[in-house]
Amino acid sequence: MPEEQLPDLKTSTNNQPPKLIVVGVGASAGGLEALQSLLSNMPTDSGMALVVAQHLSPSYKSMMTELLEKESTISVVTAIDNAPIESNKVYICPPNSNIEITANDRIKLLSYPDVRHTPRPSVDMLFESIAEHKKDFAIGVVLSGTGTDGSRGIRAIKGENGFGIVQDPHDAKYDGMPNSAINSGHVDLILQATEIGHELKNIIHFPRNTGIDNDGTMPRETYQGIIKQLKARRNVDFSLYKENTILRRIERRMTSLKIHHSADYLAHLQDNKEEINYLFNDMLIGVTSFFRDPRAFDNLQRELANYIQNKSNKSLRFWCVACSTGEEPYTLAIILSEILGDKIDDYKIQIFATDIDQNSINFARLGVYPETALNFIPRTIKNKYFLLNSEQYELIKPIKSKVIFSVHDVNNDPPFLRLDLITCRNLMIYFTVELQRQILPMFHYALNPKGLLMLGQSESIGVFQEQYRPLSKTGKIYETLFVGKQLPPERKTSRGISLTTNNMKELKPVLSSQHNRNKVDAELTNIIADTLREFVLPNAILLNENQDIIFTQGDNALLVRPTGLPSNNIFKNLHPQLSIDLRSAFHNIQNGQKVADTGYQSFKLNDENVWVKLILMTIEREGPLGRLTLIFSQIELPENIPLLTTDKQETSNQAIALEQQRLLAKTKEQLQNVIEELETSNEEMQSMNEELQSSNEELQSSNEELETTNEELQSTNEELQTAYAELRMAYEEREHQRIELDRLKVDLEHSNTLQHEAERSAQMGSWFWDLTTRKLEWSNGCYELFGLDKEVFHPSYEAFIGLASGEYRSRLEEQLTNLLHNKATQPFIFEALDVDRNISIMSLEAVVSFNDLKQATRVMGTIRDITNSVMKEKEQVVYKDTITYLLNNTLTASFVLDIDKLQIEYINAAFQKLLGYSEVVINALADEKLFTLFNTKDAIMFKGIVDKVSRSTVGECVPGKYAIKPKDSNDFINVYANHTVYELNDTTGLPQKMLVTLFAAD
């Protein structure tokens, strides 16, 4: 159908309702700003639901929902356990909980009362639940944050053919989580937060089968071209993988790139070398976990314990195929440790763990996993075999040392040999039947007799019933059966390309025209074959490469059933008189001869003399059967042999002579074959001898190294003795330091008490923020400022922001951001809410430390309650405004004098009317110029009055009488005056300004 009619993610099939798209969003530090950017640009009609896992403090009542609701274009609600998920809504996980989704599109909240070692809610757990229930409809988004949370979940989503989106690290406030997800190699798109919402809508409406062209199939030449590109550049052949799986991976990459036609993608693949790596990584996504399917591993532990108990030596070799990130081989090591207990050191254990993904192998070697990877491990196993290391769990060294990781392609590279156990779980489901039938014989060849094979729950041994015996049907565990001589199976590295639908359509006319003729030919051929099978060569035996009988035809008197254990080997089931000649015929076949025979031999069969000849021919077959050998048995009575039917004595003698010559020639031929085999064996022994000599030299070198090591150990022992003496001195010094430390502790407690009292009296507190560990510390003064209980409230970045009220939250977050970029202006004044929801006015100041790369590393600051001072300032402003109003509306002349500067800074209208001075002119009369308004006598009096007011208190009035000179006049006007304090100095508390009120005197 045309491309514009192709179904997208939201389109339903079979008249079923559209499937709800659930997008998981994970964020941590800086996530609030990123979420606001995402949701403010989210389409209102996307038809999807967003479930947000934002790391939050467990003890703080989050305001996340309210803050996001203001910016979001769609509804934002706090998630409730078991609530149904609706489209075009955002669900925020509450603090101290983990959030998941269920199969029926409902919210699942998990609370944990125990001590946590990783942030909550867990982004990995959310993503893994979405991957499990939404499969290829799963979408995961990783936003700003520190740490690695979300990387494992993105892998699970990609494993189900979903989509992984990450905020551009340059756009994120903290790039830890985005970079970790990108480095995992499982990310499709890297976008700015403002672009993610629009891109989500594009993804769900983009055609899902973009790799399929208009005719319903991908062109075979295009598909082969993509497979050849992978083979050429990454040296991995995907031609024997299931095409549907490969097509889904290709389509997903095309969707990410918005490429509609497969031919265009092939061209893009050829022109962009990096794209081949993205496609290759998509092919290799594997989902694994510790003790995946616990019941299967319980069965394995039981069967493995029985196998080890019956094993004659103490060497154990395991092979974990397609180990991915290492959980499965480490599980095998843990199971071995549980089985052997204290005896584990008595065994030589090698667990080979292989995968074709180098990144997965590098990760697995570390043996470090997040807490979410251990969710389904029993607590006893977790405590016994894992150590907590920087909020992640690391396997103990005895377990890690048992596992050997390497890159290996099971489809191409030779197998490990002499193995006791092979686990290949959930790999062959991606292989074609042809490749499965190559892999299983290879496993059989690599395993020891009675070795164990463990497959995935959806896998089986297929047609190889004679090579494997089931031990546990539920656990998919099999035991290898030894069927004689073991030969390495042939490996097929290429396959025929299946025809597309179009190719088949082209062949149909040709097939139709030849149908009748082929039918007649087949019928006549069957008549001839049936007649030969009935009258000429009625007995036939079919052998495999191990010379085991896999099929017989006819009632063959030459076959016997030996006593003892049953075996299908031809030499144990054939008349012994024919064994030597049959071996000689086999030798000729192995040397390239297509047809060989044993010649006639005479012996008694069923109390009757007969002449017997075996005819051997090779048959080349594809697939698991490989090369076959067909044996026809020809049994003749003596009268049917021409030379023996005459009655003449000389003819009989001649026949006997000819028979003796034939037997002599055959004996010589057999002897020559034995000589050649001995020479070949001698060459092999010679080569082996050279290898043993080389090994002997290596052992000798190892012995010398051991002697050197022994000398080094002796030297180390001497150093240890010296170190012990130094340690003794260090102990004595440490005791002295402990005493000193106790004294310092007392001093520190005294200093803390003084600091606490000082902070209490100053109504302030101090705080410290370590950006490396994201740890925020408060002094006792901070807790008292906000009325918080130190035992209940735990400070964090999000909790700190949440203490601000209303619009000050975003302004406080912006101030902290500007501090980290050295762009902040200080002090920063904001309103805060205490525990009783009362508003206080706070002043914040801080100093930021930067490293050599100009990156902020830590912040130290203070918070001061300035509510009282601000209120006093407001009261003083009101007081001044009131005085100013009264002065401007009174008929009495008044002015305000700055006592320190001796400058009039304010006059009212009545003063201007009385004396004629403007405010500009009067302001210019500062310091000594002020006294030009008075005569000499009155100037001295005015100075005294000013001095007296400067030592008076508020409300105290100092009267006086003097003459003042008006403007543009030499006459003086006599006035009565009252002098009082107008304003006090904030620092000294002394009078700073004086109010003078004048009354004209007669």
Side-chain angles (χ1 to χ4, degrees), residues 29 119 126 180 238 357 451 518 526 587 589 670 720 722 897 937 977:
L126 171 62
S180 178
F238 288 98
D357 186 0
N518 290 344
N526 290 335
H587 181 78
I589 289 291
Q670 293 173 354
L720 287 174
T722 304
L897 175 70
K937 176 183 175 183

Side-chain angles (χ1 to χ4, degrees), residues 562-674:
T563 60
L565 292 175
S567 172
N568 287 332
N569 189 267
I570 184 62
F571 293 104
K572 294 185 178 181
N573 289 271
L574 191 67
H575 196 288
Q577 189 74 23
L578 297 170
S579 294
I580 296 177
D581 289 341
L582 180 60
R583 289 188 185 277
S584 178
F586 266 125
H587 181 78
N588 294 333
I589 289 291
Q590 291 172 356
N591 286 338
Q593 190 172 327
K594 293 295 183 181
V595 180
D597 64 75
T598 62
Y600 281 108
Q601 290 192 58
S602 176
F603 55 85
K604 185 171 287 189
L605 183 65
N606 295 333
D607 298 327
E608 186 178 11
N609 290 325
V610 294
W611 290 78
V612 178
K613 181 172 71 170
L614 301 179
I615 304 171
L616 286 72
M617 56 191 67
T618 58
I619 301 174
E620 298 292 342
R621 293 282 297 179
E622 296 291 337
L625 294 178
R627 185 178 181 183
L628 303 177
T629 303
L630 179 62
I631 301 178
F632 288 107
S633 307
Q634 189 171 352
I635 305 174
E636 300 290 348
L637 296 174
E639 56 267 23
N640 294 329
I641 304 299
L643 290 177
L644 301 179
T645 58
T646 180
D647 294 333
K648 295 181 180 180
Q649 183 67 33
E650 62 273 16
T651 304
S652 178
N653 294 336
Q654 182 181 2
I656 294 172
L658 289 174
E659 178 62 17
Q660 290 177 345
Q661 291 177 3
R662 188 187 67 80
L663 292 175
L664 179 60
K666 180 170 290 189
T667 302
K668 289 181 178 180
E669 180 183 356
Q670 293 173 354
L671 181 60
Q672 180 63 31
N673 291 341
V674 171

Side-chain angles (χ1 to χ4, degrees), residues 23 92 167-168 191 261 337 363 377 435 443 451 507 560 688 706 764 876 923 946:
V23 180
I92 307 297
Q167 182 183 5
D168 190 337
L191 305 169
H261 299 286
S337 180
F363 180 88
I377 295 181
L435 182 55
F443 287 165
L507 288 177
V560 295
M688 187 178 297
L706 287 174
M764 65 176 294
Q876 190 173 16
N923 287 344
V946 171

Side-chain angles (χ1 to χ4, degrees), residues 46-159:
S46 65
M48 64 181 68
L50 276 66
V51 181
V52 178
Q54 162 80 44
H55 295 171
L56 297 170
S57 170
S59 59
Y60 173 66
K61 183 179 179 181
S62 173
M63 302 292 290
M64 179 70 68
T65 302
E66 291 80 359
L67 294 174
L68 293 178
E69 179 70 30
K70 298 176 182 178
E71 305 289 339
S72 177
T73 59
I74 58 178
S75 176
V76 181
V77 297
T78 301
I80 301 174
D81 189 34
N82 202 37
I85 303 175
E86 301 176 7
S87 61
N88 297 319
K89 275 192 176 182
V90 183
Y91 296 86
I92 307 297
C93 180
N96 202 29
S97 298
N98 279 329
I99 188 168
E100 297 180 350
I101 70 167
T102 63
N104 57 349
D105 293 335
R106 288 184 175 271
I107 294 292
K108 181 179 181 182
L109 294 180
L110 305 170
S111 298
Y112 297 89
D114 56 339
V115 177
R116 68 178 186 176
H117 299 294
T118 57
R120 289 187 185 142
S122 169
V123 181
D124 285 330
M125 290 182 66
L126 171 62
F127 285 3
E128 287 171 351
S129 70
I130 293 176
E132 178 183 0
H133 299 302
K134 291 300 179 180
K135 304 301 180 184
D136 55 347
F137 288 84
I139 301 177
V141 179
V142 177
L143 301 178
S144 171
T146 60
T148 62
D149 196 16
S151 300
R152 185 180 180 86
I154 281 287
R155 180 186 182 91
I157 287 176
K158 288 291 292 293

